[in-house]
Amino acid sequence: MRNATEFHGVSKEYGRGEARVRVLDGVDLALPAGAWTAVMGPSGSGKSTLLHCAAGLEPVTSGRVLLDGEVITGVPEGVLTGLRRRRVGFVFQDFNLIGSLTAEQNVALAAKLAGARVPRAAVRAALGEVGLGDRLRHRPRELSGGQRQRVALARAMVTRPAVLFADEPTGALDSASARTVLDLLRGLVDGGQSVVMVTHDPGAAARADAVVFLRDGRVADRLVRPAAAQVAARLVELEEVAC
Amino acid sequence: MLRLAVSTVRDRWALFVGAFLTVACGVALVQSSLQVLMATGEPKVPPGVTGARAEEIREGYVGAATLLGMTVLLAGFLAVFIVASTFAFTVAQRRADLALLRTLGAGRGHLLLLLLGEGVLLGLAGSAAGVLLGVPAAWTQTRLLTGLDMLPGSFAAPWSFRLVGVSFAVGAGVAVLGVAGASVRAMRVRPMEALRGTGGAERVMTAGRWCAGLGLGGCAVALAASARPGDLLGALLIALGVSVLGAVAVSRLSPLLVPLAGRALGLAMRAATLGDLAQANLRDGVRRSASTAAPLIALVALAVGLAGMLGSQARATGTDLVRLTAGDLVVASTGADAARIAAVPGVADASTRLTVDMAVRVEQRGPAGTRRATYHAGIVAVDGPAYRRTHRVAPRSGSLDLLRGRTIAVGAGLAAEGVRVRRPATAVIGGRTVRLRVVAAMPERLENGAERFLVPLSLVPAGLAARAPAETVVRVAPGARAADVAARLRPLGTVRTVRGWADARVAAQARGNNAIMAVLLGLSGGYAALAVVNAMLIAGAERRAEFAVARLTGLARRQVVAAALAEAAAVTAIGLLLGGAVAAVALAPLATVPGTLAVPWTLIGLLAAGAFAVTAATSVASTLAATREPPIRAAAAR
Ligand SMILES: Nc1ncnc2c1ncn2[C@@H]1O[C@H](COP(=O)(O)OP(=O)(O)OP(=O)(O)O)[C@@H](O)[C@H]1O
Ligand SMILES: [Mg+2]
């Protein structure tokens, strides 16, 4: 079976000279397809950077990255654009939606960019599934944070990307909204979707199939189907060592 | 992408209002100018008018065509400029959205298409409005041109449906040209910017700005430095060049210069309670303050520089006329009355110039070989020796003493036109055709409408001479008081001092120029106001959150408005000062020529008052609009 994401000796540095920081330091990682992987670690440990490199948004300094079985390091921008269009989906904490488009149009636009002839009914069905069937014509600023998050999920449901990347998708949500979003993600994964999610919330990580821990740009640990308490304990250990 | 373009324009219409108005006005002006221009192609001279009048009408048509052509160019250029700055602004403010599109897989081409789509939409909407506006505009323009006597009262510009096509092409072209720069910048937005939330962190001083600013600025400085003291023609050319180059250079460098000038101004602003806030905003909102100041800089530099140049040229011409005229008074009268001036007590010498209605045909060497040309205007009859005594100017060749019988002299007005002096001229005078020998050629003069030919008085039939308008230069006899002599001359005609006569003559010659200048100034002023208002409105709409935070910090709404007003006033002052500095550099070489420099103080006053009025009104209105919501709602909204 193909891996959703593979890292082979990946390093990432920002800045040059004195100001140089090594954010990812020789990461080797393989995240299986069709599974939900959570990425955790102290603040500044390189989680977001890992996600961006995996999605081809940020070039790596050295090493190789594969997405859905294809090498995405050192390929031209045009290839990456096509990749983002068809293979990659995003859910972020903020900056999810185009402000001037309605919820429905936001979902439809992504599908159109992916080149799929998605019928209107499918777009509406997806929004209905995330519980926003009555908010089709609302613009992002007329939606709550959790609702915006769910529109982004509906977008992923319609475009069916090979890998869905989520950076703290529940970070700004209350526990009820967070649970809705996590339930939706679980539903997607059970339908065969690969998901890579960065989170600070052990409860959220416990819903995933596996948890990868980062510290100082290196993979520090990996747990499979952990309980929330187990995740929390490991996280505390890592943060203590970091200090 | 087109759908997205439509919804962006609909959603953020406030950002596009200025650009829409600009395109509409631009298209209306271009369309109406073209409509009138097409009708001026072939001058329609009414049958039965005199040769001189026909020539005047033809010259009027040429003047009108020049003015219209300049209007078309200027309107097109300014429209592109404003649309470009609007879109540069919107791209800067929509970086987060554009970056998000990139993360969703939109390619560079998509973003290009999006912005071009927005541009085309704007162009089409603006053109539609412009086509309608163009109809009354053409009517107004015709009225204006006939009012200025550039076109005869019977002039009419017929409407043609071909104009609609041209207008839409112009509108779309202007919009697309204006959007081009912004689209290229939008294409460079990287998807990462959406995630790190660094939208808007784009540098304002782009490489293009540096290049254009320093390059043109360097040219302007080099040009100004090349001035030689006392060289009038050089100084006039420098004034023209430095105004244009400097205006563009300084407005390109405005993101650099405006905050610098703001710091200098800061000392004065510290005094007020909110001065600190206003000054900090000025420094912080570089893009905003630079976009507001740039049109002002360009307008002031160009308007004051060019008006100063034209005014100085007129003043120098007057000074030159005075210097060339050896007399005390000038009397304007009919030919018959002029003949009686010499007999008035206290008049030592009198030299009369009759403006005669006659035609002269000569051979001229031009770039395309020899051609024959006929002139009706600018032909004067003089008494050679008397003319020589009252005018301190020697012929370039020949002698005015020979101006007797069937002879003619080439005047200063045609000195540079290559008239062949060895070939006889043919004149039609009082219905009679005579061949005239060319006996003298006068040197070139500063004056714009100097006479083209001089003929001897004896050539003019008595009846014609008596009716012809005359100007007589009078030298007062030693011992007689000029005022007394003037009083005695008054029954014969209008008496003026030489200076007064010279100024009036120059003013009459400059009338056409001034009309053109006024129209172009009005046009540029209108566009500059539009650009300034546009920049301020766009900035104001986006400053909601900032104002809200200021109010949550404890400022009253009134104080927020006051701080924004102080900032606007400071930016206006900076724009005026920087523009003024360019004009000062441009006009400086003229100060080295005595009796020349004419600073257009009235214009400066009007520009300053207008600029402050426009920016103050816009600032107050937009700040009030942006603070209408309760602050807590606005602060949360992104
Ligand atoms: N563009 C950049 N230039 C320089 N340094 C950067 C840049 N982006 C990120 N960094 C640095 O890289 C390190 C890792 O950043 P990253 O965003 O990946 O952390 P994170 O694990 O997601 O943290 P958090 O949990 O706080 O979101 C940080 O120390 C950050 O300062
Ligand atoms: Mg992060």
Side-chain angles (χ1 to χ4, degrees), chain B residues 14 536-537 540-544 547 551 557 560-561 617-630 634:
Chain B
M536 291 182 72
L537 285 184
E542 297 291 318
R543 287 176 81 185
R544 247 170 227 210
F547 290 147
R551 285 172 72 192
R557 189 176 177 196
V560 172
V561 173
T618 313
S619 167
V620 170
S622 74
T623 317
L624 281 178
T627 48
R628 193 166 299 139
E629 270 182 309

Side-chain angles (χ1 to χ4, degrees), chain A residues 14 49 52 57-58 77 81 84-85 90 92 95-101 105 109 113 139 141 155, chain B residues 3-4 7-8 10-11 97 100-108 110 191-192 194-197 638:
Chain A
Y14 282 115
T49 307
H52 300 158
L57 288 172
E58 193 99 79
E77 174 64 27
T81 300
R84 283 199 286 273
R85 208 174 287 168
F90 292 102
F92 307 115
F95 309 116
N96 266 310
L97 307 173
I98 308 270
S100 60
L101 296 180
Q105 288 169 334
L109 175 70
L113 279 173
R139 287 177 203 247
R141 59 167 173 272
R155 187 171 64 197
Chain B
R3 158 87 86 68
L4 184 56
S7 69
T8 312
R10 206 177 42 207
D11 191 47
D97 270 4
L100 182 63
L101 272 174
R102 295 278 281 134
T103 63
L104 292 180
R108 298 212 163 109
H110 277 114
M192 275 309 298
L195 312 182
R196 294 279 183 203
R638 189 166 63 92

Side-chain angles (χ1 to χ4, degrees), chain A residues 14-15 21 23 41-50 168 198 200, chain B residues 196:
Chain A
Y14 282 115
V21 279
V23 179
S43 182
S45 57
K47 303 180 295 292
S48 297
T49 307
L50 179 93
E168 301 186 32
V198 168
H200 280 292
Chain B
R196 294 279 183 203

Side-chain angles (χ1 to χ4, degrees), chain B residues 380-420:
Chain B
V380 298
V382 298
D383 172 50
Y387 185 89
R388 218 165 51 82
R389 286 197 304 275
T390 48
H391 292 80
R392 297 190 191 97
V393 54
R396 200 167 43 165
S397 64
S399 162
L400 285 178
D401 286 336
L402 298 176
L403 199 62
R404 278 188 307 253
R406 299 198 161 187
T407 59
I408 189 166
V410 180
L414 286 180
E417 303 291 323
V419 176
R420 299 192 60 180

